Amino acid sequence: MRLSMTSDLWWKNAVVYCLDIETFADGNGDGIGDFRGAIQRIDHLDRMGVTCIWLMPFFPTPDKDDGYDITDFYNVDPRLGTLGDFVEFMRVARDRGIRVIADLVVNHTSDQHPWFKEARSSRDSRYRDWYIWSDKPEPDDPKGVVFPDKEDSLWEYDEKTEQYYYHRFYRFQPDLNTANPEVQDEISRILGFWMELGLSGFRVDAVPFLIEQVTDSGDDLPDPHEFFACLRAFLSRRDGSAILLGEVNLPYPDLVKYFGNDLGDELTMCFDFISMQRTYLSLAREDARPLAAALRERPSPPRDSQWATFMRNHDELTLDKLSDSEREEIFAAFGPDKDMQVFGRGLRRRLPTMLGGDLERIKMVYSLLFSLPGTPVLFYGEEIGMGENLEIEGRLAVRTPMQWTPHRNGGFSDADPAKVSIPMPKGDFGPEKVNVSAQERDPDSLLAWITRLIRHYRDCPEFAWGKYTVLDTGVDAVFAHRAACDGETVVAVHNLGDAETEVALTLEGFDSSKVLTDLLVDGRIEIDDSGRVGFPMGRYGCRWFRASAPETAPADSADPS
């Protein structure tokens, strides 16, 4: 594919890296990560090949929900730096050719936000209708309580004004009334402000909850899709290349509506929660069929839209779109202890610990991630195989400080360890054994492997841009697919099982005039005249092939002379 084509829609084959400023690097020695520390670590991301940084919330906050309870959408939390530090971070990232997006958390505010303080001061407050109020708590659907370990209702009584306010999440996070045109205008101003400071877009938090019917007032709410279309139009007017990446954990038929159906005029990208959950079911069973079925079912996004693929994010590993029995299979395989589970629907573990530290298997899973149709998203620390700390409550178990070195505080901070408020994992996944410094020197490390995968992923835009087909392999444990675009074809094959096997594929449209060249290791495989090709797959093996004529095939590393 021509770079002049792929660079226009940069996000279609980007490599997105999610990081939390608070836990990434401490630049002033107070035990808390900050923008100055993150600036000094951007070259790590540049060397890996990351093309887009996604920043978790860095705004002023009481920090009751790890920064998602915001008191000021137009500033930086003083613990993390200043607006000047943010701008310098943006400048350094831009100098390395890395774009930056940030969380857009406008479903709710903190109850300490000046808007809410004013709103609850009087029923006549000008900000009263910026939130959702009712004289009585509306009937709750127990399934609608997002955090059942902390909340048992979606309504909280306000004694001063003698009404209930709505909160989809925690009671200290009152929901904004995003149906209010004034609130919608304010959201646009928030986008515009940060775009002027250099952001290339936003990851939109809790998309399905942004506009929802929660009272029986009879008022007709605006169409949420009209809201997102207006938001996207505003974004595009300010910067035609900026994106909205949506957290939309819904079944595919409901999810695709947030792309704007065939128009593609709402969210630019959506996370593929369905394929992620089916991937873990396939890993637990060592059977590729659940993942293959998900990708066969997955609808194609509009032409200028994209799926975002991931293996882990900053929340619990949600398994809510699986059946109870399927979820129990994954719990049994990867989180059998109750302490490893959360909310009855997910796991609070990172991938390497779930896989028992099996490096071959871990490498295979990330090879799978980077070859799946879509744009891969990494959570900080995945590149070195960080583990979780189950001593930390809830979802925060996976949000431990980045492990840079084997030394004090894992190189995250030079503060007295007592000042580092978030403890790191210990044992086999502690910084003494898992850190960037050691893996940079090891050509067989996970960091070296992911850096290699990123390079090959960027060399194979067909995975992101092409039309994909799930292939029959004849082996239940083996997943294979091909992606084609502009006359070019790549094929990826992954063995999810721990036994060696032989794989036979039929590649329609190919004959003996083409060969398959392995992109991850040296080697070339012949295709017969019927398009059939066979080859061995090792335990948790992975192979990426490019189909081409022999005279144009990529060269082996050995000198042909």
Side-chain angles (χ1 to χ4, degrees):
M1 294 184 67
R2 298 194 308 274
L3 283 177
S4 58
M5 292 286 292
T6 59
S7 62
D8 285 345
L9 303 179
W10 61 269
W11 37 267
K12 272 234 177 184
N13 65 331
V15 176
V16 182
Y17 185 96
C18 172
L19 67 86
D20 185 354
I21 291 294
E22 183 177 357
T23 57
F24 199 60
D26 174 13
N28 63 5
D30 65 355
I32 300 171
D34 48 44
F35 276 105
R36 292 189 179 188
I39 289 168
Q40 297 302 117
R41 295 297 188 177
I42 284 181
D43 281 342
H44 165 67
L45 307 182
D46 184 38
R47 287 190 295 268
M48 283 174 56
V50 168
T51 63
C52 178
I53 296 171
W54 156 23
L55 296 176
M56 290 171 62
F58 52 83
F59 314 100
T61 172
D63 208 26
K64 292 182 178 180
D65 185 23
D66 202 29
Y68 283 87
D69 47 327
I70 296 169
T71 58
D72 183 355
F73 290 101
Y74 296 99
N75 216 326
V76 173
D77 191 289
R79 298 173 306 132
L80 310 182
T82 66
L83 277 174
D85 294 328
F86 171 84
V87 170
E88 185 64 12
F89 177 89
M90 296 297 299
R91 187 200 67 78
V92 175
R94 184 174 63 246
D95 181 65
R96 271 66 174 173
I98 301 176
R99 295 174 183 265
V100 182
I101 65 174
D103 263 323
L104 181 68
V105 187
V106 290
N107 169 263
H108 52 257
T109 70
S110 165
D111 60 4
Q112 300 303 304
H113 196 293
W115 299 340
F116 188 68
K117 286 185 174 181
E118 177 62 27
R120 74 193 310 181
S121 67
S122 165
R123 292 195 185 194
D124 298 323
S125 165
R126 66 167 293 239
Y127 286 105
R128 186 70 175 182
D129 196 40
W130 282 43
Y131 295 87
I132 302 168
W133 301 89
S134 179
D135 288 329
K136 63 182 188 304
E138 305 292 333
D140 283 333
D141 177 0
K143 294 181 180 178
V145 178
V146 177
F147 303 122
D149 63 327
K150 298 293 184 182
E151 302 291 345
D152 57 10
S153 173
L154 304 177
W155 296 90
E156 184 71 8
Y157 187 65
D158 179 62
E159 292 186 358
K160 182 170 184 179
T161 56
E162 298 181 323
Q163 278 190 314
Y164 293 84
Y165 66 82
Y166 181 77
H167 58 92
R168 167 60 74 171
F169 296 94
Y170 294 110
R171 67 189 67 190
F172 55 78
Q173 291 171 327
D175 272 34
L176 281 165
N177 179 13
T178 47
N180 183 335
E182 289 186 355
V183 174
Q184 293 184 12
D185 287 346
E186 190 67 26
I187 292 171
S188 294
R189 278 190 287 273
I190 293 167
L191 265 66
F193 176 83
W194 292 105
M195 291 175 73
E196 286 297 310
L197 294 182
L199 287 186
S200 292
F202 302 86
R203 175 262 187 185
V204 188
D205 186 57
V207 167
F209 302 137
L210 275 177
I211 294 182
E212 53 180 339
Q213 186 76 51
V214 297
T215 70
D216 59 5
S217 64
D219 296 337
D220 290 331
L221 292 180
D223 184 344
H225 300 290
E226 182 179 329
F227 167 73
F228 282 110
C230 291
L231 203 63
R232 174 76 176 275
F234 175 87
L235 190 82
S236 297
R237 289 196 301 271
R238 293 295 177 95
D239 179 354
S241 68
I243 66 166
L244 294 175
L245 168 57
E247 182 192 26
V248 192
N249 183 13
L250 294 174
Y252 284 137
D254 299 318
L255 190 157
V256 294
K257 297 175 183 177
Y258 287 93
F259 282 123
N261 291 318
D262 294 335
L263 294 177
D265 61 351
E266 295 183 32
L267 297 175
T268 322
M269 304 172 68
C270 289
F271 285 105
D272 185 358
F273 282 90
I274 305 297
S275 287
M276 179 275 291
Q277 297 184 43
R278 298 278 188 87
T279 296
Y280 278 94
L281 184 59
S282 283
L283 291 173
R285 293 177 175 177
E286 298 198 355
D287 183 339
R289 288 175 293 180
L291 171 59
L295 287 177
R296 288 187 172 115
E297 295 166 8
R298 188 173 82 170
S300 297
R303 180 178 177 182
D304 289 347
S305 303
Q306 181 65 303
W307 292 104
T309 57
F310 65 107
M311 289 297 165
R312 199 63 183 87
N313 63 14
H314 60 292
D315 283 329
E316 77 274 9
L317 179 68
T318 184
L319 304 169
D320 65 321
K321 295 299 181 289
L322 300 176
S323 69
D324 290 345
S325 61
E326 290 170 338
R327 190 159 44 248
E328 288 301 324
E329 284 185 66
I330 297 175
F331 284 166
F334 302 135
D337 297 341
K338 283 294 183 182
D339 189 41
M340 299 172 177
Q341 303 164 19
V342 64
F343 308 138
R345 63 173 185 251
L347 291 167
R348 58 193 205 101
R349 308 191 75 195
R350 283 184 177 251
L351 178 70
T353 56
M354 286 191 279
L355 300 187
D358 187 329
L359 189 57
E360 280 187 306
R361 197 178 187 189
I362 294 166
K363 287 183 175 181
M364 179 274 294
V365 172
Y366 284 110
S367 171
L368 178 64
L369 169 64
F370 279 94
S371 66
L372 286 176
T375 297
V377 181
L378 289 171
F379 184 44
Y380 77 92
E382 281 194 276
E383 72 272 25
I384 58 172
M386 277 174 50
E388 72 282 347
N389 185 349
L390 293 176
E391 295 178 2
I392 303 174
E393 183 180 10
R395 299 175 299 162
L396 299 182
V398 301
R399 304 181 194 177
T400 55
M402 184 66 179
Q403 297 170 195
W404 297 103
T405 73
H407 308 305
R408 187 169 74 167
N409 300 321
F412 162 73
S413 172
D414 60 9
D416 184 316
K419 289 187 176 181
V420 179
S421 59
I422 304 174
M424 291 184 172
K426 299 176 182 177
D428 289 343
F429 293 92
E432 296 82 8
K433 295 188 177 182
V434 177
N435 62 78
V436 173
S437 177
Q439 293 195 23
E440 284 180 329
R441 298 168 175 268
D442 181 0
D444 297 320
S445 68
L446 182 59
L447 176 58
W449 176 248
I450 287 188
T451 302
R452 186 178 180 187
L453 290 175
I454 290 174
R455 183 174 72 251
H456 287 301
Y457 166 76
R458 296 286 289 175
D459 286 340
C460 296
E462 296 86 358
F463 283 137
W465 284 76
K467 180 179 179 181
Y468 71 89
T469 306
V470 177
L471 303 174
D472 292 326
T473 66
V475 182
D476 290 347
V478 177
F479 175 77
H481 71 289
R482 62 185 285 183
C485 189
D486 289 352
E488 298 288 337
T489 298
V490 291
V491 178
V493 188
H494 292 84
N495 182 7
L496 277 60
D498 67 353
E500 296 180 359
T501 188
E502 290 284 332
V503 174
L505 302 177
T506 298
L507 303 175
E508 293 185 7
F510 289 117
D511 55 29
S512 58
S513 66
K514 302 287 187 180
V515 296
L516 294 182
T517 303
D518 199 319
L519 301 178
L520 300 181
V521 297
D522 283 345
R524 189 176 298 175
I525 300 176
E526 305 293 330
I527 304 174
D528 70 19
D529 284 333
S530 62
R532 289 182 60 82
V533 60
F535 47 86
M537 290 291 293
R539 171 187 185 269
Y540 301 129
C542 48
R543 305 188 74 167
W544 294 12
F545 298 105
R546 179 168 291 284
S548 60
E551 58 271 18
T552 60
D556 285 348
S557 62
D559 186 346
S561 62

